Amino acid sequence: MFLLKKLMTSMSKSLTVRLIFIVFGMGNASLFAAGFADTNTIQKAVAAYKTIETLRKETPINGDAIASAYTGALQILAQEAEINSLKLNSDILVAIEEIKSGNEPRLATQVIDKTLQRVFYQSILNRITMIQRRFNTATSAELIQMLDDVVAAFQAITGTVARTNEILSADRQTIISGSNPALDVQFNESVARIRRALDKSNPEEDSGVIAVEFSTTRIALAQAYYIGVLRTVASVLENRSTDPETTAVSLKEGEFFYRIIESLVAQGNRVGNQLIKAQLAGNAANVVAYEIVSELIKGFVGQVYGEMSYQSISIGVNRFQAMSEASGAAAYARVFLPDVEVRLGAEVRGNLETALSNLQTASSENSVPKSAAARDAIAAILLSYQKELNLIDPRTTIDTGFVYNASTSYYQISGYRAENPVNAEAIAAAYTGELQQLTQIIDLAYGLTIDQNVLAAIENVRNGNQVALASQVIDKSIQRVFALAIYNRTTLVLDNFDSLATDKLALEWDRVETAYLAIMLAVGKVNKVLTKDKQTLKDEAGPDPYPEDQFSLAFLNGREALSKANANDRTTLAIARENIIVPLVRGFLNGVLHEVEGVIANRSIDVDEARVGQLGGDLLYRTVEVFIAQDNPSGNDRIKAQLTGDLADVVANEIVSDINKGVIGQFRRNISQIESTFGVDRNRALLASERISLYATIFLPDLELRLGTQQRVKMQNALQDLREAIETDNSAKAITAGSTITEIISAYEDELV
């Protein structure tokens, strides 16, 4: 089962990497058409950034002066990044507000500084990418101007890029300084090679140079920020037992440094990305050097595999593309070569460098056999290195055959439902057995009639009676079974944590993971948000939330807590459970919105299809209805009426509003729990804090639509501040955060219909 899961994950990663670059290129095409900020604007932005660098080191910090320096060229450059679905301008404006209000101004200056560095980083990437993509169509003069812009933007971050390596210590307990990779020199030399190629004296070869240097420049910058993250982690480890203020500043610095390279790491290690973010945005006591270094590197190892995979496709077909991908593999590997030496020794590092060089040479020669030999050599070394990184999960998983067989049956049914005509007999055969038994167990536990509903729907399919509707009943009913099984087993494990042995708890916990795999795709769809006019729904802009990664990390954290080795393991398990259940609820509610979008799109052109979507929405909503009804009973009734009534009565804005009113009720209840337990029962307060952060993820996209991006950022910051206040018993910080949260929630509620 786990081999299958890893294969699915690997395929998803590979596809994600390529899709991200395609989307990135499309975004830049739009930018090129609209026009970049010119060199003069960038130079003014760099000067403004350096002014802010000086201002943020003053005591007291002058928020008005920083705001003044930011307004103008620097803000224009930050807003340019919005084409990449980044909201850097709002992050900066909110941080300036916090300086002005005296709310932890030293932390706010770190947000400003690192976000501005990200602005320049993104500006460089956009232009380098455009040079590579437009080499054959733009004039040399246009491309050189773009490169001049790159050089201008680089002046803002050259100090960061010039830093020495940071590596794990020999005992792997901390991080120490290493050699100087001279990344600034690498970058500048690469730019010089690009400049020479832009004269297009030999267009074919010059195109190859651009393809190779495209990888060199952007990955050199990524390596610089990888080093930046490790440098801040080293500071956290050094200061956390003696200097809480410096530790907090370093942790915030690491959190925002990491955002710069997060997408690169996440493409190759999505679960590890969640772990890194949790540590850098969490309690300094939980920061573990070995884990952060390993998870960062796993992401870059994934990138090496991705580049080699595409090189294997390009070689013999497109020499320059193969050269670019071989160069990318080597550049990504340079990020972790020092760590390879720490873990496996200098000889292995040398062998890896040689194999990477051989791949580049083979690509230049367009040699298929030499490329294959080089890739095999690289893969063999990376395999042994991955074991050191603990990339290959060593734990023994308990057999969960009953749930696994039920899950397999559901996948089979999904295939049979897609046949034309729908294969009723095959569905009935697949349903009989473990899947039906699991359904009957859930019916018995919760007083439901899902089994009867499924059997009746199968009979309708067999008789040709409203087959599309019946097929929808089968699908969504079985999804409900697995969702309730997850809820049931996680609750059982938590409730019996003290009384059951670890092996018995582990069996039930592993059943949770198996059940989740059955509905992973259903609850992992892209977020839906209202359109600007609130008449229908659309995909939320920006990166997908990847709830399966959040689940995987929660599952691993919870399973580790089952050892009962630490005093707070029960709290760890409870938090892990919330990180499984609330995203699951979110996934089903998001599924409802997907169906509502379809209803609105189809009701005037394809009534039958709209009816199928409406039924799907109704069935999905039933699974999580209690979550909304508890605090918004009238809204719950309105949602159900729209999902079962006249198609013309389905109103997206009303359904979204009623869902979020119910979620806010849960949110407020847990705010009250924090107020009653703060300073008295830290574990209960932390659990409630985790819940409100998870609940907020459900309504934050809609909050942003109605109140603006800055209010969303302020809410996210306040939620993080509240958790930090609970961990440190800082009542003043808690009051400030609570006041901000209450103010924003009240304003948001006023906007709901």
Side-chain angles (χ1 to χ4, degrees), residues 297-318:
I297 289 173
K298 290 174 191 178
F300 286 104
V301 169
Q303 294 285 7
V304 173
Y305 276 122
E307 296 288 344
M308 288 200 300
S309 174
Y310 289 112
Q311 191 275 346
S312 72
I313 297 170
S314 300
I315 194 67
V317 178
N318 186 328

Side-chain angles (χ1 to χ4, degrees), residues 198-450:
L198 292 182
D199 65 12
K200 301 187 181 183
S201 59
N202 186 343
E204 186 176 0
E205 289 301 317
D206 288 338
S207 176
V209 171
I210 297 298
V212 169
E213 300 307 329
F214 167 70
S215 296
T216 302
T217 50
R218 62 189 176 86
I219 300 172
L221 295 183
Q223 184 176 353
Y225 286 100
Y226 161 83
I227 292 170
V229 172
L230 298 191
R231 189 169 62 252
T232 62
V233 170
S235 177
V236 169
L237 299 175
E238 179 183 356
N239 292 293
R240 62 184 173 186
S241 62
T242 58
D243 189 343
E245 185 176 1
T246 298
T247 299
V249 170
S250 296
L251 203 57
K252 184 63 67 176
E253 186 178 13
E255 178 188 352
F256 277 79
F257 257 147
Y258 180 65
R259 290 188 184 185
I260 298 174
I261 59 169
E262 178 184 347
S263 63
L264 286 175
V265 176
Q267 287 166 23
N269 184 19
R270 284 165 35 186
V271 176
N273 170 55
Q274 297 290 334
L275 183 148
I276 294 166
K277 291 197 295 183
Q279 290 199 18
L280 293 177
N283 190 326
N286 297 328
V287 172
V288 181
Y290 174 77
E291 291 181 359
I292 288 182
V293 172
S294 295
E295 298 303 334
L296 283 167
I297 289 173
K298 290 174 191 178
F300 286 104
V301 169
Q303 294 285 7
V304 173
Y305 276 122
E307 296 288 344
M308 288 200 300
S309 174
Y310 289 112
Q311 191 275 346
S312 72
I313 297 170
S314 300
I315 194 67
V317 178
N318 186 328
R319 172 175 170 252
F320 295 131
Q321 188 65 32
M323 289 169 60
S324 175
E325 284 148 353
S327 176
Y332 280 124
R334 280 195 289 273
V335 175
F336 56 79
L337 281 174
D339 190 72
V340 170
E341 185 170 349
V342 169
R343 298 179 198 246
L344 298 178
E347 182 179 352
V348 175
R349 172 180 176 163
N351 292 340
L352 181 55
E353 288 176 310
T354 298
L356 290 161
S357 177
N358 290 343
L359 183 62
Q360 291 178 281
T361 301
S363 298
S364 181
E365 296 172 358
N366 208 21
S367 171
V368 173
K370 288 182 180 179
S371 290
R375 289 195 307 270
D376 288 345
I378 294 167
I381 295 170
L382 290 182
L383 181 61
S384 63
Y385 182 48
Q386 287 170 302
K387 293 176 182 177
E388 290 292 320
L389 293 172
N390 199 27
L391 183 59
I392 300 172
D393 190 354
R395 67 181 177 82
T396 301
T397 304
I398 298 171
D399 179 28
T400 58
F402 176 80
V403 181
Y404 177 70
N405 290 340
S407 176
T408 300
S409 295
Y410 173 59
Y411 279 121
Q412 291 172 344
I413 288 173
S414 297
Y416 299 141
R417 288 178 56 244
E419 293 181 3
N420 188 14
V422 178
N423 192 335
E425 300 307 325
I427 290 175
Y431 181 63
T432 302
E434 287 91 343
L435 181 54
Q436 185 173 20
Q437 292 172 39
L438 180 62
T439 303
Q440 291 168 342
I441 290 170
I442 293 300
D443 278 347
L444 184 61
Y446 296 104
L448 301 173
T449 59
I450 299 175

Side-chain angles (χ1 to χ4, degrees), residues 121-140:
Y121 171 88
Q122 195 63 53
S123 174
I124 292 168
L125 257 61
N126 283 346
R127 287 157 175 80
I128 289 290
T129 302
M130 189 53 57
I131 289 170
Q132 191 261 346
R133 294 192 180 278
R134 294 300 181 94
F135 178 80
N136 293 322
T137 57
T139 67
S140 292

Side-chain angles (χ1 to χ4, degrees), residues 107-122:
L107 298 186
T109 62
Q110 284 298 332
V111 173
I112 293 169
D113 179 60
K114 301 309 173 288
T115 305
L116 287 175
Q117 290 204 37
R118 189 179 185 186
V119 166
F120 289 108
Y121 171 88
Q122 195 63 53

Side-chain angles (χ1 to χ4, degrees), residues 184-203:
D184 56 331
V185 176
Q186 283 185 38
F187 183 89
N188 286 325
E189 289 178 347
S190 181
V191 167
R193 289 190 289 271
I194 292 173
R195 190 176 297 278
R196 287 192 295 272
L198 292 182
D199 65 12
K200 301 187 181 183
S201 59
N202 186 343

